[in-house]
Amino acid sequence: MPGAGRAAGVRRLHPQPSEEPPAQEEDQDLLLAAAYVSDAQYNRNVPFETSPRAIRLYYFYNHWTMQVAIYFFICVDLSLALFEEPALFPLPFLATSIAEVLCLTAFFGRLVHFAKVTPQMVFWKDTKNICIMVTIVLTLFDLIIYGSLEAVNIHSIRWSRALRPVFLINFPESRQIRRTFRSIRNTLPDILYVFLLFVFSVLIFSLMALKLFGDRGLQTVEGLPYFTNILDIAFELYVLVTTANSPDVMMPAYNFNWWYSLYFITYIIINTYIFMSVFLAVVYNNYRKHLKNEIRKLAYLKRHKMIEAFNILKVKVGTEFVVTEARWKQLARIVMPHISGPHLELLLRISDEGQKGHVDKMNFIRLADLLNIQVVTINIKRHPLEDWMPRVYQSSASLLVQRMVRHRIFVWVYDVIILINAIFIALDEKNPFISYAEWLFLSLYIIEILLKLYTYEPRAYFGRKQFWNWFDTLIIIAALVATVANTTIQSARKYNSQQILDIVLILRILRLLRIIVSIQRFRLIVTTLINIGPTILTFGGLVLVVYYVFAIIGMEAFHGKVQFFDPNFTTPNALVCGNPALKDSAFARERYCKNNFNDLASSFIVLMELTVVNQWHVLAGGFALVTHQAAKLYFIGFHVVVVILIVNIFIAFILEAFFVAYSLEKSEVETAIEKKIQELGVGIQEEEMQDGKLVDNMDAKDGGFSGDNGDNKRKALKGLYFRIASKKYRTVDALLQQMFESEIAPEDEGPSLDEILNFSAGDVYPKNPNFENSA
């Protein structure tokens, strides 16, 4: 059987002789090969058993409903902090504890499911699984102890809540977030030396400040001694690195003698500009290095899985091993059950270049990439008016209107109208002339939509991909409804709804966004940002994890220490945020009482303010006054982890992603598909498409490719044509992976599985890659 070359590194724990019919055994080989191709398609690196039962369990494990269910329980588990004390929406402890136990049960069930499909030795060596199990046990232990103490009216700390993000990080579905954490972990050793040198510099300058200013008898604005305590000096100078307390921290010394300003200028140059820039450089360099290592590993793992799938299905034809056309089609339909017949035939034509009835190894290996590229089936249809009243629609006047609407000048005219509308929006709304002008602009916008609907086929104009058409229409309709409602209310003279007026103004302003579509450079930048959006969400998950952990710690340490009172309250407690320790403090003077850790939402807002860094020392000082000076370590730790480490990595990623996505547009695989589509005579250039002539028809009746010339093929397809749905990559990782794969020779099978899994950032495969320069 062509299954002898199965998965290096994927073991069958209890191999048993097969007693099943050959046809059924072939089906099992096909399912196994499809599992490998699916893993390669979605960049999954999950070792699984190759027994029939394990393969079917693995398919069920990867089903989208299972993934949605596990993310649902993760979201519920994380959101419990909104309902637990200190709560934004208080619920009884019994209700939240039952919900948490249900979530833990779901997590444990998912883990058991994973254990059923992966080899036992691999399962128990995987730290992700160990972390999940340990976290479940610790959470149950903490839940029992906390509940027991609450039953006897003893309040304790729910320390296990800070462990909840472990589930988000360690389940296989969160491999993007996990990869980011790995990059941070691998970057830490190099950053550590720079950070230690930075701390040493701050301490040296702190000692210098103590000797320079400690015995001068200087005082701060609050009347406190100036730079007399080494710990306070170190904290103030650390804050100065962030520039949050500049120039306040310098003023007592500067007022005493202007020469002392040189000390602070020197400190800012060395620590703020030089060290912070070095931090960014080190983070950026190491992040790129480890990112390329991850991409290299993904590329070789994908090729390794595709080779394993090929080895399972291969048969010998002449002197070479190939996969027959029938087996290839069966495989593609298992991996993508909803693929249409024409789409499948198109991919087969691309893979079977010589139309020999089989697919060779080189073309088989890129099947995962072919399946990842969305090819849209298009059905050319006529405008309904052309069927209902053809003479009128095809008259000279009607054709003139259609040509005018399709002309670029029509777009320019309405761009000018939008700019004029922007000027009117900026003018005084109470002026009757301005108010009446808005009706004129709305009328022009409605006329524009009606003309486009007359020119273009309506189902195409409001197709699934026509975002801007939907946006324009919805904005105009909403603005019209809101304007009519506001005019009606004002004419009634009972009251004037300012909220409706605000909505009208916002909708008018949003209309100006259409300018982005008209200017090519704007469109390119926005498209690039949209393309890197999915990967930016990965960093959103990373920030969510860090925020959640710090928010839980902050709530346990600081909740109830600061209270917010309505501005109308004039009691002494309101002036000191409910805590006498804040009397005469900058925290109380600035009315920062609402910046507290009394619930999860407030905690996230405080952490966001700390991320911006402006006035973060005031927040740190306020909470240190109501607890202990050691509380400043919490805020310093947050600044180091989020602002110095994560924000710099985020900047490094944005730079890398934007440069790559901005400079490269197509992959080699996409170009191959486009060329084949044109050769087959069923392709339509995207830039030549007209909205009135095209409509997505993904549910089109299956048809095949018949005939030898382009005309026959078009007739056989009965009006169906193809185009690439998007020329852009879904993620930057995919783009970088394609770049690296282009450096691998087609016949190169790469290193072994063990070597791939043990890649380090210093390893280089292939021997002379251009990936460094490309990235």
Side-chain angles (χ1 to χ4, degrees), residues 73 76-77 80 95-109 140 143:
F73 283 109
V76 170
D77 190 46
L80 287 177
T96 57
S97 59
I98 290 175
E100 186 161 19
V101 169
L102 288 175
C103 292
L104 296 177
T105 304
F107 300 150
F108 183 73
L140 289 173
L143 199 60

Side-chain angles (χ1 to χ4, degrees), residues 52-157:
R53 178 174 174 271
I55 294 173
R56 285 175 171 78
L57 283 173
Y58 186 58
Y59 274 100
F60 184 56
Y61 182 86
N62 290 321
H63 197 271
W64 69 269
T65 55
M66 298 296 292
Q67 296 179 359
V68 169
I70 199 65
Y71 276 121
F72 170 77
F73 283 109
I74 289 174
C75 292
V76 170
D77 190 46
L78 293 176
S79 64
L80 287 177
L82 292 169
F83 308 98
E84 299 166 330
E85 292 296 335
L88 182 62
F89 309 106
L91 285 178
F93 171 73
L94 181 61
T96 57
S97 59
I98 290 175
E100 186 161 19
V101 169
L102 288 175
C103 292
L104 296 177
T105 304
F107 300 150
F108 183 73
R110 184 70 167 168
L111 198 63
V112 171
H113 191 170
F114 184 70
K116 293 290 185 180
V117 301
T118 192
Q120 291 185 13
M121 293 300 295
V122 175
F123 179 84
W124 291 109
K125 287 182 179 179
D126 195 335
T127 54
K128 300 190 298 295
N129 304 327
I130 304 300
C131 286
I132 292 173
M133 285 188 291
V134 170
T135 304
I136 290 175
V137 172
L138 291 177
T139 302
L140 289 173
F141 180 72
D142 180 42
L143 199 60
I144 293 171
I145 293 178
Y146 183 85
S148 302
L149 294 176
E150 283 290 318
V152 293
N153 296 322
I154 299 177
H155 183 71
S156 60
I157 296 175

Side-chain angles (χ1 to χ4, degrees), residues 21 191 249 290 319-320 322 367-368 413 425 430 504 543 575 629 769:
I191 295 178
V249 68
H290 294 295
T319 59
E320 65 174 344
V322 297
L367 174 61
V413 167
I425 290 174
K430 296 180 180 179
V504 172
V543 172
L575 299 177
Q629 289 299 312

Side-chain angles (χ1 to χ4, degrees), residues 121-250:
M121 293 300 295
V122 175
F123 179 84
W124 291 109
K125 287 182 179 179
D126 195 335
T127 54
K128 300 190 298 295
N129 304 327
I130 304 300
C131 286
I132 292 173
M133 285 188 291
V134 170
T135 304
I136 290 175
V137 172
L138 291 177
T139 302
L140 289 173
F141 180 72
D142 180 42
L143 199 60
I144 293 171
I145 293 178
Y146 183 85
S148 302
L149 294 176
E150 283 290 318
V152 293
N153 296 322
I154 299 177
H155 183 71
S156 60
I157 296 175
R158 279 294 313 278
W159 49 267
S160 66
R161 295 193 299 171
L163 301 177
R164 286 172 181 168
V166 169
F167 300 116
L168 176 62
I169 298 171
N170 286 288
F171 275 110
E173 292 78 12
S174 303
R175 53 186 174 274
Q176 294 283 354
I177 297 178
R178 197 161 51 251
R179 187 186 307 164
T180 306
F181 271 102
R182 277 201 306 270
S183 297
I184 293 176
R185 183 189 63 197
N186 294 329
T187 306
L188 281 178
D190 299 294
I191 295 178
L192 182 61
Y193 291 106
V194 181
F195 183 74
L196 290 176
L197 188 59
F198 164 71
V199 171
F200 178 75
S201 173
V202 173
L203 292 177
I204 290 295
F205 273 94
S206 299
L207 289 173
M208 293 170 58
L210 182 64
K211 299 301 180 182
L212 283 174
F213 311 120
D215 297 329
R216 303 287 182 182
L218 302 178
Q219 291 184 333
T220 64
V221 176
E222 292 82 7
L224 301 174
Y226 180 72
F227 278 15
T228 57
N229 183 287
I230 186 66
L231 294 179
D232 291 337
I233 295 173
F235 177 74
E236 292 293 338
L237 291 182
Y238 183 85
V239 174
L240 182 58
V241 171
T242 69
T243 69
N245 62 348
S246 177
D248 296 347
V249 68
M250 181 184 72

Side-chain angles (χ1 to χ4, degrees), residues 449 452 460-463 466-474 691:
I449 291 178
K452 286 185 175 180
Y461 186 80
F462 291 115
Q466 304 300 331
F467 167 77
W468 289 106
N469 293 343
W470 281 100
F471 181 83
D472 277 350
T473 305
L474 292 176
D691 292 339

Side-chain angles (χ1 to χ4, degrees), residues 700-716:
K701 192 174 182 180
D702 289 353
F705 292 86
S706 61
D708 296 326
N709 56 61
D711 292 336
N712 289 336
K713 290 168 187 172
R714 288 174 182 265
K715 291 177 182 177

Side-chain angles (χ1 to χ4, degrees), residues 244-245 248 586 590 592 609-610 612-620:
N245 62 348
D248 296 347
E590 299 290 342
Y592 281 0
E609 292 172 347
L610 294 175
V612 179
V613 306
N614 191 36
Q615 296 291 83
W616 75 274
H617 62 293
V618 175
L619 295 170

Side-chain angles (χ1 to χ4, degrees), residues 328 339 343-351 370-371 673:
W328 188 94
I339 189 171
H343 188 178
L344 182 64
E345 292 288 342
L346 177 67
L347 297 185
L348 179 60
R349 286 294 184 95
I350 294 170
S351 299
L370 291 176
L371 295 175
I673 291 182

